[in-house]
Amino acid sequence: MTEPLLPDTPDTPANPPAPPQHWYGDVLAADGRVVRVRPIMPADAEALAVFHAGLSDRTRYLRYFGPYPQISPKDMYRTTHVDYRDRVGLVAVLGTAIIGVARYELLDRPGPRAAEVAFVVADEHQGRGLGSVLLEHLAGAAAENDVAAFVAEVLAENEAMITVFREAGYQLQRSRDGAEVHLEFAIDPTEALRTVRDAREAASEARSVANLLAPGSVAVIGASPERTRVGGAVLANLLAGGFSGPVFPVNPHRRSVWGVRAYATVREIPDAVDLAVVAVPPAAIGAVLADCMAKGVKGLVVLTAGFGETGAPGLAAEHELVAAARGHGMRVVGPSALGIANTDPAVGLNATLAPVLPERGPIGFFCQSGPLGAAILREAATRSLGLSSFVSAGNRADVSGNDLLQYWDTAADTEVILLYLESFGNPRKFSRLARRVARAKPIVAVSSGRVAAGADMDRTVVRDLFAQAGIIQVDSISELFDCAALLACQPLPRGPRVAVIGNSAALNWLAVDAARSEGLRIHRPTTAVDRGPGARPTERGADGALMDGPVDLGPEATPADYREAVLVALRSTRVDAVIVVVAPPVPVPMTGFGEALRAAAAAAPDKPVLTTFMAESGIPPELAVRARAGAPALGARPVSARVREISNGGAS
C-alpha cells in the first residue's frame, strides 16, 4: 500500500490556500516552444512522482547531492503543500506532464527576508532555457512576498545550474566549501536584470515565429483536390511554391490529393510534423486539435473562420483552442487567417490562400484581415514589391504583430516592415518593441477605421502612439506600398531639404504643399533654371519671408531637360532628396524619361529620387533595376545601415 501523505512539520499546511491566479502563465522557451508555468498544488503529487522517476541518475545526483531514486511521502507532501508565501513551488507543464520544478523556502536568519532556491528540469527538456524561465518567475513571486534575496547551494560540478544563475543578470556573491558552491544574490530588479529578461523574451519570440516560417514539414488538414475549397487552395499553393520539406495532405476520405499520399489523421503520418495548416469546419477543430497535440505538432495555422469574429460563443471557443494548443507547446496563427509565407528559396513556404504571392524581396508584411490580405498581396505583386515573409494573423488569438516585430528585428533578409493593423492586444508592449525596432528598420503602418485596444483608443490616440514609437503612419494601402518602394529601393535622405522638379506648375506646387505639410523644407538648387510659363521660383511664407519653390521645366520638357535638372539638384549641397513629377500634356512613351532619370540618379546614389509618373502605378519598368529574382533591387546601401547611421548623428 502507498504510504499516506501527511504533514512533516507544523509549518506544512494541511489545507493550502488557493494559488495566486496571476502566477499562471504561458511562456516561451529558448527554442520558441510554449511552456505553461503555474503554482504547484497538492493534486500534482502523482505527476511529480512520474517526473522524478523519469530523471536520470546524474540529474538527481546534481539536484539532491546524492542518489535519490524516489521521493519519500514526507518530502512529497512538503513539496506539494505550500503556503505561497514563505514556501513556494512552481512547475513547468507540457500537456499534463510536469517537465520542471522550482522551489524556494524561507531561511530562518536575521536581517532581510531571504530564501533558499532550487530547481530541476527533465533531462529531455534541458537546454531549452527552462531553468532561467523558472528562476525568473520564482523571483517574481518572491518579490511579491517581500523576499529580498535568494540563496542557492550547488555542487561545483553542476556548471549548467551555476550558468543559469550567472547569466540571469543578478549580482552574485559566490563562495566555495569543498564540493559545494554557495551563491547569494538580491532579487530586486536592476537595469541589467531587465535587459537580460528583455533579451531572453525577444530571442524566444523571434525563435517562435522562425519555427512557424521555416518548418521542416507541413500537414494540410482538410486537404482537397478542389482549388475552390480552402484546403485545396492552400495545398496547391504549398506544392506550387516549391516548399523544401515534405507536405502531408490529411483527408480521411481520400488516399491521395494532388498526387500526394494522404492520411486519415495527423497521428497516422509516420514522420514528424512541424506545422499543421487547418482547413476544416469549426465543429471539427476539437478532434483535429487533439490529433495535433498527440502528434506533437509545433505550430498551427488555422484558416477556419467562425470563431471570435462571430460573437461571444465563438470567442469562447477561440480561447479554448489557443489555451489547449499553448498548453501542449504550440503557437497558433489565426483563426480566420489567410496564412503565412516565407520566400526564402531554402524554405519556399506559401501556406496561404492567396492566388498571387510577390517575389523575393526585403519587405516583411503583417496584416490581420484575411480577404484584404489577399488583395494586398496581389497589389504588392503588381507593383513588383518583393517580400521576405508574410503573416496574416486573422483574429490574432495568439501570434500577433508584436511577435513579428521581435522576429523581423533580427531577420537579416528583412529591411522594411509593413503593418496593417485592425486592433492592438498590448499597446504598451507594441510601442516599446516598435520604438526599438524602428531605430534599425523602418516600420510603415496603416490602421483601419475601427482599430482599437479599447473603446477609448480612437484614431488620434493611434496616431500619437505611432509617432512616439517612430512608426511611419500612412492612410491607405496605396500609400503603404509607395513608402515601401521608396524605403526598400532608395537610400534614406540625410535631412529634410527637398527639391521638386516637374513639367506641370499645378502638380509641382501640389507636391510642394504636400511636402511642407509633413515638415519638409523645399530647396531650389542655386543653378536651377525654370522654363515653364507659370514658374514661380519663390513665394512668401506666413512671416513674410521668401521661401523656395519648385523647379518648373514647362510642358515641353524633354528627357534631356529632366536629366540636367535632376543632376543639378542631386549635386547641390542644399538638397537631400529630389521629387520628380512627369506629366506630359499629351501621351508620349515614358521610356526616354525613365532612362534619363535612372542615369541622373546613378550619378548620386546616396540621395533618394522619388518620381511621380502620371497614370502609372508602382515602379515603372523604365525605372526598375532588377535583382536576380526579378524584383526591384535595393538601393546603393541597405536601408537598415542608413537608419543606424542617421540615428547615430549622420542626419543634418
Side-chain angles (χ1 to χ4, degrees):
M1 295 180 60
T2 303
E3 185 177 346
L5 300 182
L6 298 172
D8 63 327
T9 60
D11 67 332
T12 306
N15 296 300
Q21 290 300 303
H22 63 282
W23 288 3
Y24 290 75
D26 292 333
V27 298
L28 292 175
D31 60 0
R33 301 283 311 268
V34 183
V35 175
R36 181 156 293 165
V37 175
R38 62 168 175 79
I40 201 167
M41 297 177 287
D44 289 322
E46 183 176 348
L48 187 60
V50 173
F51 164 76
H52 183 85
L55 298 175
S56 66
D57 292 340
R58 175 66 176 172
T59 295
R60 283 197 291 263
Y61 166 74
L62 293 176
R63 166 63 180 89
Y64 298 103
F65 296 15
Y68 192 59
Q70 184 176 357
I71 301 179
S72 69
K74 183 173 70 173
D75 286 347
M76 179 66 76
Y77 192 97
R78 187 168 183 82
T79 300
T80 56
H81 290 65
V82 296
D83 60 9
Y84 305 114
R85 176 169 171 78
D86 296 343
R87 294 175 50 245
V88 169
L90 300 177
V91 291
V93 180
L94 186 60
T96 59
I98 292 175
I99 61 174
V101 180
R103 300 177 58 204
Y104 82 68
E105 186 161 343
L106 195 68
L107 292 171
D108 184 12
R109 72 179 196 183
R113 285 165 59 88
E116 185 173 3
V117 61
F119 54 87
V120 62
V121 175
D123 290 73
E124 62 270 27
H125 293 280
Q126 292 175 12
R128 301 181 60 202
L130 296 182
S132 299
V133 169
L134 286 168
L135 178 61
E136 178 182 316
H137 282 252
L138 200 63
E144 291 182 20
N145 292 324
D146 300 321
V147 175
F150 272 165
V151 173
E153 305 294 338
V154 184
L155 286 174
E157 60 187 287
N158 193 351
E159 287 293 337
M161 183 74 70
I162 295 173
T163 298
V164 169
F165 288 114
R166 184 175 63 245
E167 294 183 350
Y170 296 106
Q171 299 296 315
L172 296 179
Q173 296 180 9
R174 176 172 175 168
S175 61
R176 181 164 179 169
D177 182 10
E180 297 181 17
V181 176
H182 176 86
L183 303 174
E184 186 163 346
F185 52 92
I187 60 175
D188 283 340
T190 63
E191 187 61 35
L193 180 60
R194 283 190 289 267
T195 299
V196 169
R197 290 178 179 176
D198 289 347
R200 183 191 64 75
E201 176 191 76
S204 297
E205 291 186 0
R207 181 60 185 169
S208 180
V209 174
N211 291 342
L212 294 168
L213 288 173
S217 59
V218 179
V220 179
I221 305 175
S224 168
E226 301 175 29
R227 290 180 180 269
T228 55
R229 300 179 68 88
V230 172
V234 70
L235 178 61
N237 288 341
L238 266 170
L239 297 176
F243 177 60
S244 58
V247 177
F248 305 110
V250 176
N251 186 322
H253 306 297
R254 304 189 69 90
R255 296 183 59 186
S256 67
V257 182
W258 293 103
V260 181
R261 164 83 184 274
Y263 298 87
T265 68
V266 173
R267 299 192 207 202
E268 295 183 18
I269 298 173
D271 300 325
V273 176
D274 291 335
L275 181 70
V277 182
V278 182
V280 299
I285 288 287
V288 166
L289 180 60
D291 283 338
C292 289
M293 292 188 297
K295 181 64 180 176
V297 174
K298 296 178 181 177
L300 297 177
V301 176
V302 182
L303 307 180
T304 307
F307 285 88
E309 74 277 12
T310 63
L315 184 61
E318 181 175 295
H319 289 164
E320 291 176 6
L321 165 66
V322 172
R326 290 176 67 95
H328 284 75
M330 290 184 279
R331 297 301 308 269
V332 178
V333 177
S336 194
L338 181 72
I340 63 177
N342 183 352
T343 61
D344 184 347
V347 180
L349 177 71
N350 181 7
T352 76
L353 299 175
V356 178
L357 191 67
E359 296 175 344
R360 178 77 170 158
I363 300 171
F365 182 37
F366 171 85
C367 75
Q368 291 173 234
S369 170
L372 183 59
I376 290 173
L377 288 177
R378 186 183 299 107
E379 178 68 13
T382 300
R383 288 172 172 251
S384 297
L385 285 178
L387 298 185
S388 59
S389 50
F390 165 80
V391 173
S392 162
N395 293 356
R396 196 184 43 78
D398 179 19
V399 173
S400 69
N402 290 349
D403 295 293
L404 270 298
L405 286 177
Q406 298 277 37
Y407 170 73
W408 283 322
D409 186 29
T410 57
D413 63 352
T414 302
E415 293 287 349
V416 180
I417 297 169
L418 304 185
L419 305 175
Y420 179 85
L421 302 174
E422 295 180 357
S423 62
F424 292 92
N426 186 337
R428 182 172 299 177
K429 182 176 181 180
F430 172 81
S431 178
R432 172 172 59 85
L433 293 178
R435 188 178 301 112
R436 187 191 76 222
V437 175
R439 295 191 185 105
K441 299 182 179 182
I443 302 174
V444 187
V446 59
S447 60
S448 71
R450 63 186 184 90
V451 66
D456 58 343
M457 194 168 186
D458 58 21
R459 294 184 66 86
T460 301
V461 176
V462 172
R463 187 173 293 276
D464 290 344
L465 173 66
F466 285 172
Q468 293 169 7
I471 294 174
I472 303 168
Q473 182 174 13
V474 296
D475 295 323
S476 68
I477 300 299
S478 179
E479 290 182 8
L480 184 76
F481 286 131
D482 286 341
C483 279
L486 181 64
L487 292 168
C489 303
Q490 290 281 300
L492 294 181
R494 294 182 177 275
R497 302 168 301 179
V498 178
V500 176
I501 301 170
N503 62 349
S504 167
L507 294 178
N508 293 346
W509 281 100
L510 285 176
V512 167
D513 292 341
R516 285 176 178 165
S517 69
E518 297 296 332
L520 299 174
R521 299 202 299 268
I522 305 302
H523 282 262
R524 287 170 47 82
T526 55
T527 57
V529 177
D530 290 290
R531 298 180 175 86
R536 293 180 291 151
T538 57
E539 62 176 4
R540 293 188 181 274
D543 58 357
L546 290 174
M547 297 190 299
D548 284 349
V551 177
D552 187 358
L553 300 179
E556 303 299 325
T558 65
D561 296 331
Y562 271 96
R563 183 177 184 276
E564 176 188 355
V566 173
L567 277 173
V568 169
L570 290 173
R571 290 169 177 167
S572 172
T573 58
R574 303 177 67 234
V575 174
D576 300 308
V578 179
I579 297 175
V580 182
V581 178
V582 183
V586 295
V588 296
M590 291 289 100
T591 303
F593 293 94
E595 292 175 350
L597 294 178
R598 282 181 58 180
D606 61 332
K607 293 183 180 180
V609 178
L610 175 64
T611 66
T612 296
F613 278 41
M614 294 303 294
E616 292 281 350
S617 177
I619 302 175
E622 297 81 7
L623 291 179
V625 177
R626 299 288 170 178
R628 288 184 180 180
L634 283 172
R637 299 176 62 183
V639 173
S640 60
R642 294 288 299 115
V643 175
R644 285 191 290 272
E645 181 177 307
I646 290 175
S647 66
N648 289 334
S652 59

